Amino acid sequence: MLTSLYIKNYALIDELNVSFNNGLTIITGETGAGKSILLGGLSLVLGKRADLSQVKDANEKCIIEAVFNIANYDLSLLFKSLDLDYDVQTIIRREILPSGKSRAFINDSPVTLETLGVLSTNLIDIHSQHQTQQLTQDDYQFKVIDALAANKLNLEEFLKQLRIYKKLEKSLEELKLSKAELIKEYDYNLFLSKELNEVNLEKINLEDLEAQYEELNNVEIIGEKLTSVKSILSTEDLGITDQLNSVKQELSKIATFGISYENLKERIASVSIELDDVLLEIDNLEDKLSSDPQELERINSKLQIINNLFQKHSVLEINELIEIRNDLQLKINNTESLDQSIKEKEQEILKANEKLDQLALKIHKNRKKIIPVFVSKLEAILTELGMPNAKFKVELKPLNHFVKNGKDNLQFLFMANKGSTFNELKKSASGGELSRIMLAIKSILAEYIQLPSIMFDEIDTGVSGEISNKMGDIMKQMSGTMQVFAITHLPQIAAKGSSHFKVYKMDIEDITHTNLKKLNEEERVVEIAQMLGGLSITDSAMAHAKQLLN
C-alpha cells in the first residue's frame, strides 16, 4: 500500500507531505483545484517521462517520493530479477534537476525508467476512463481470466518450457543450415580426403624417398665413379694402397728412433686399415648397385604426387598434409553424423512439445472452468451498476500453435442492450460502460488475488446518484482487502471513504498554490454538503451529508 507521498517544486505544489492509510481513501476538490497535478506527480514515481515545464521553480530541484509497504505483495523474486535490494518498506524517488535531467531511485539505488515501470505496475494502478482501453487488449483479458483461474504457476512453468522449446527449435534450424552448408562441400572434401588417404602419408619418409630416386636415376654414373675410385686406390704399384704400404714400410725402419716416429707409423697404419675398409664398402656397393627402371618410375610417380599435394594445399611438410587430411575427415564425419544429431534434436522437440501440450491443456481447462463463474459475477455486478440488459461472453478457442501464454485465443464480447448482437468490447461498449465494466472486473479480481493499490480517477463521470452509490459500495468492499483511492465529484461515493482528502488552491502574494488536506469529521460533512448543493450550504444539504456519512 502507498503509505506516504512527498512532492516538492512540482507544478503548483511548493511542498506537500501526506500520509495514507489502508481502506478507501477519497480525494475531492473543485474542478481545476489540482487533482490532476497530484496524479501527475504520482505518475512520475511510476515511471512517466519527466518534463522540465512541470517544475514550479526551474532553478530548484523537483522531488517526488512515494513510500510503499509491500509486505503482502510477494515481490522478493521480482526485486531479485531487477537486481534490487528488497525491503518491506520500499521508497521510490524521482528527481528533476534544473538542467532538465531526470533521475530515479528505488531504495536509494539508481534505476532506469524501464525498471521503475516494471516495479510500479505491481505497486499501484492508476485507473481512469483513458486506462479502461486496456480492457480491450488481449494481454489484459488473459491476465484477468488467468488470475481467476489460478493459472499463475502453470503459466510460469509453461513459459519456462516454451523458452526451452524455442531454444531447441533454434538449435534444430542451425543443424539443418549446417547440414545444407556441409553437403555443398561434402563431395569435394570426400575427394580430397580420399586423395590424401591413398598416399599413406604416415609411412612416407620424404628424405629416404628422394635419396632412393637420386640413386636409381644416377646408377650408371655411380657405377663408373666407384670403379674409377677402386682403380685409383688399388692399381698395382701405382695405386694408393700400394703407395701407402711403401710409406708404412719406410716409417717402420725409423719407428724405434723416437716416439714421434712411432706415432707417425701408427697413424699411417690406421689410414691403411680405413682405406682397406673403404675398398670393401665400395665392393659391397657395387654388388648392390643395379638398374631398376620400374622402381625408379614408381618412386618418381610418388614424389610427383606428393609435390602436387604440397602445391594444391600450399604446404611444405608431410605433417601439414596429415593435419589437412584429419580436418577433412572431421568435416566428413560431421556431415555424416548430422542426420543422427537432427533426429535426436527432433525427438527432444517432440518431448518438449508434449510437455507444452499438457501444460497448455491444463491452462485451457482452468480457463474454461472459470469463465462461466466470471461471466455470471460480472453480469450481476453490471446489473447493480445500471446495466441490467448487458450480456457478456468470453470466447476461448484452442490454437494449433503455441503462444506466450498457452495455446488459446481469448476474446471478450459484449452486448449492451436486448436485441443487439455480441461484438468485440472495444466496438460495442461506450467509455462510461467500459468504466463500469472495469470497476466490476477489478472488484471480482480482488476476491481472487492480492491487487496493488488502485486509484480510480473520476470513473464515475456521467453516472447517476443511484448508480454512484453502488459504485461506492463496490469500492468500499474492495478496500476490505486492498488499498483503494477514489478521486470523485459525487457525494455518494465520497461518503463511503474511511478517510477523505481535499485538493484546494490558494493565492499567496499573487501566486497560486495547490495543497492537499486531510478532512476531519466536521470538515467532511461540510465538503460533502458543498458537493450536494454548492458553496451556499443549506441545512438540508448538511442533513443529507450527515445521512450519507452515517
Side-chain angles (χ1 to χ4, degrees):
M1 60 173 282
L2 177 63
T3 59
S4 67
L5 180 64
Y6 176 77
I7 300 176
K8 181 179 180 181
N9 194 32
Y10 177 76
L12 297 179
I13 299 174
D14 285 324
E15 187 170 23
L16 174 69
N17 194 353
V18 60
S19 298
F20 299 106
N21 297 320
N22 214 332
L24 175 59
T25 298
I26 299 297
I27 299 175
T28 60
E30 295 178 8
T31 302
K35 297 189 291 294
S36 61
I37 295 174
L38 193 65
L39 283 177
L42 189 56
S43 295
L44 284 175
V45 169
L46 304 182
K48 181 184 175 183
R49 294 206 168 271
D51 183 354
L52 189 59
S53 65
Q54 297 167 323
V55 178
K56 193 174 192 301
D57 183 347
N59 297 314
E60 297 292 331
K61 180 166 64 173
C62 169
I63 301 173
I64 299 96
E65 183 174 279
V67 181
F68 293 88
N69 186 319
I70 60 172
N72 297 327
Y73 287 179
D74 190 24
L75 296 179
S76 56
L77 290 179
L78 177 62
F79 271 72
K80 186 176 181 181
S81 69
L82 296 173
D83 197 24
L84 294 170
D85 293 330
Y86 176 78
D87 195 326
V88 169
Q89 181 172 278
T90 288
I91 302 172
I92 299 179
R93 187 171 76 257
R94 284 293 298 278
E95 296 179 355
I96 306 174
L97 305 179
S99 63
K101 184 179 179 181
S102 167
R103 300 187 299 184
F105 303 87
I106 297 175
N107 293 333
D108 288 329
S109 296
V111 295
T112 63
L113 290 188
E114 182 182 2
T115 299
L116 197 58
V118 171
L119 178 61
S120 66
T121 57
N122 293 275
L123 301 180
I124 190 165
D125 176 14
I126 297 178
H127 175 67
S128 63
Q129 282 204 6
H130 175 69
Q131 270 80 35
T132 56
Q133 293 303 315
Q134 73 176 165
L135 184 56
T136 65
Q137 297 169 1
D138 291 345
D139 284 350
Y140 188 78
Q141 292 176 4
F142 271 112
K143 184 178 177 181
V144 170
I145 296 300
D146 285 324
L148 271 60
N151 268 334
K152 184 176 184 290
L153 295 179
N154 290 329
L155 286 169
E156 288 175 356
E157 181 62 23
F158 178 86
L159 193 58
K160 175 184 173 184
Q161 291 299 327
L162 185 63
R163 284 194 288 265
I164 294 172
Y165 179 77
K166 294 291 185 184
K167 189 175 180 180
L168 288 171
E169 280 193 322
K170 185 179 179 182
S171 296
L172 178 61
E173 186 62 27
E174 289 172 352
L175 283 173
K176 288 181 176 179
L177 287 173
S178 296
K179 181 182 177 183
E181 289 297 318
L182 287 173
I183 283 174
K184 293 177 185 177
E185 303 174 2
Y186 178 76
D187 289 339
Y188 183 59
N189 288 340
L190 194 63
F191 167 76
L192 292 178
S193 176
K194 184 178 180 183
E195 190 177 51
L196 289 168
N197 278 321
E198 286 175 348
V199 180
N200 206 353
L201 294 169
E202 278 84 2
K203 293 187 177 180
I204 290 177
N205 186 315
L206 195 58
E207 291 183 0
D208 288 349
L209 208 59
E210 288 172 341
Q212 290 176 45
Y213 172 80
E214 291 299 325
E215 181 177 339
L216 288 170
N217 193 44
N218 298 284
V219 65
E220 293 182 358
I221 296 175
I222 293 171
E224 290 175 3
K225 297 304 178 184
L226 287 177
T227 300
S228 174
V229 168
K230 279 179 64 177
S231 175
I232 292 170
L233 290 175
S234 59
T235 299
E236 192 172 349
D237 294 333
L238 296 175
I240 292 175
T241 303
D242 283 353
Q243 294 294 327
L244 196 60
N245 285 333
S246 298
V247 170
K248 186 167 60 174
Q249 288 175 2
E250 291 301 317
L251 287 172
S252 295
K253 294 176 183 178
I254 60 173
T256 58
F257 297 158
I259 189 65
S260 298
Y261 307 112
E262 176 66 23
N263 287 341
L264 194 59
K265 186 197 78 165
E266 292 297 329
R267 289 175 66 187
I268 290 298
S270 296
V271 171
S272 178
I273 293 170
E274 182 63 22
L275 195 58
D276 289 340
D277 192 57
V278 168
L279 282 170
L280 185 62
E281 181 64 22
I282 289 173
D283 287 335
N284 290 334
L285 290 172
E286 278 186 323
D287 292 339
K288 292 178 182 178
L289 193 64
S290 64
S291 178
D292 190 342
Q294 289 182 342
E295 180 66 7
L296 178 63
E297 178 59 29
R298 184 188 71 79
I299 293 173
N300 182 50
S301 176
K302 198 161 193 176
L303 285 172
Q304 283 184 346
I305 290 171
I306 292 169
N307 286 324
N308 287 340
L309 290 173
F310 281 162
Q311 188 174 6
K312 178 183 285 189
H313 296 286
S314 301
V315 297
L316 298 172
E317 302 289 340
I318 292 292
N319 285 339
E320 292 176 290
L321 286 178
I322 291 173
E323 287 180 10
I324 291 170
R325 182 203 62 194
N326 293 341
D327 288 342
L328 287 168
Q329 190 60 51
L330 185 61
K331 290 180 180 179
I332 292 166
N333 292 341
N334 286 341
T335 306
E336 292 172 346
S337 66
L338 268 179
D339 282 335
Q340 181 60 32
S341 297
I342 288 172
K343 285 181 180 178
E344 291 173 359
K345 195 63 67 178
E346 286 173 341
Q347 286 298 314
E348 288 183 63
I349 289 174
L350 188 61
K351 291 178 181 178
N353 191 294
E354 289 174 357
K355 283 184 180 179
L356 281 174
D357 267 332
Q358 291 171 3
L359 285 167
L361 182 60
K362 185 184 293 186
I363 292 167
H364 174 82
K365 287 180 176 179
N366 289 346
R367 288 168 177 167
K368 190 174 181 180
K369 183 179 178 181
I370 201 63
I371 283 172
V373 178
F374 168 65
V375 171
S376 176
K377 285 177 177 285
L378 183 58
E379 289 179 349
I381 296 173
L382 291 178
T383 298
E384 295 178 354
L385 291 175
M387 299 169 64
N389 297 320
K391 294 295 178 185
F392 221 81
K393 182 190 288 186
V394 179
E395 284 191 347
L396 185 69
K397 296 180 180 179
L399 299 171
N400 56 9
H401 62 278
F402 298 118
V403 289
K404 63 182 179 181
N405 57 4
K407 210 173 180 181
D408 289 326
N409 181 52
L410 183 72
Q411 193 172 37
F412 282 11
L413 301 176
F414 180 67
M415 181 172 67
N417 303 299
K418 289 182 178 180
S420 303
T421 56
F422 281 104
N423 205 341
E424 293 179 50
L425 199 56
K426 61 184 174 183
K427 295 179 180 179
S428 56
S430 66
E433 287 169 338
L434 280 176
S435 291
R436 281 180 269 181
I437 292 169
M438 180 62 95
L439 175 60
I441 287 176
K442 294 284 188 182
S443 69
I444 295 170
L445 282 172
E447 298 176 24
Y448 289 84
I449 59 173
Q450 177 64 56
L451 292 174
S453 299
I454 187 167
M455 183 170 287
F456 291 107
D457 178 22
E458 296 189 350
I459 66 164
D460 50 18
T461 302
V463 173
S464 67
E466 183 182 349
I467 301 305
S468 65
N469 189 57
K470 184 56 186 175
M471 293 181 79
D473 286 338
I474 291 173
M475 294 180 193
K476 184 70 174 176
Q477 183 181 0
M478 290 174 65
S479 71
T481 57
M482 59 184 293
Q483 185 184 42
V484 179
F485 293 87
I487 297 176
T488 183
H489 61 277
L490 294 179
Q492 291 85 352
I493 292 178
K496 304 286 184 182
S498 52
S499 57
H500 191 153
F501 289 83
K502 181 177 180 177
V503 180
Y504 62 96
K505 284 182 180 178
M506 56 183 179
D507 295 332
I508 302 175
E509 296 180 354
D510 295 327
I511 298 175
T512 301
H513 303 266
T514 288
N515 215 326
L516 183 69
K517 177 184 180 182
K518 185 174 183 179
L519 304 180
N520 58 34
E521 288 302 315
E522 291 180 2
E523 290 168 332
R524 283 192 74 183
V525 173
V526 173
E527 175 68 9
I528 293 174
Q530 286 180 336
M531 295 172 75
L532 286 165
L535 292 177
S536 299
I537 302 174
T538 63
D539 290 341
S540 61
M542 290 290 286
H544 192 185
K546 291 177 181 178
Q547 185 180 7
L548 286 175
L549 284 167
N550 290 331

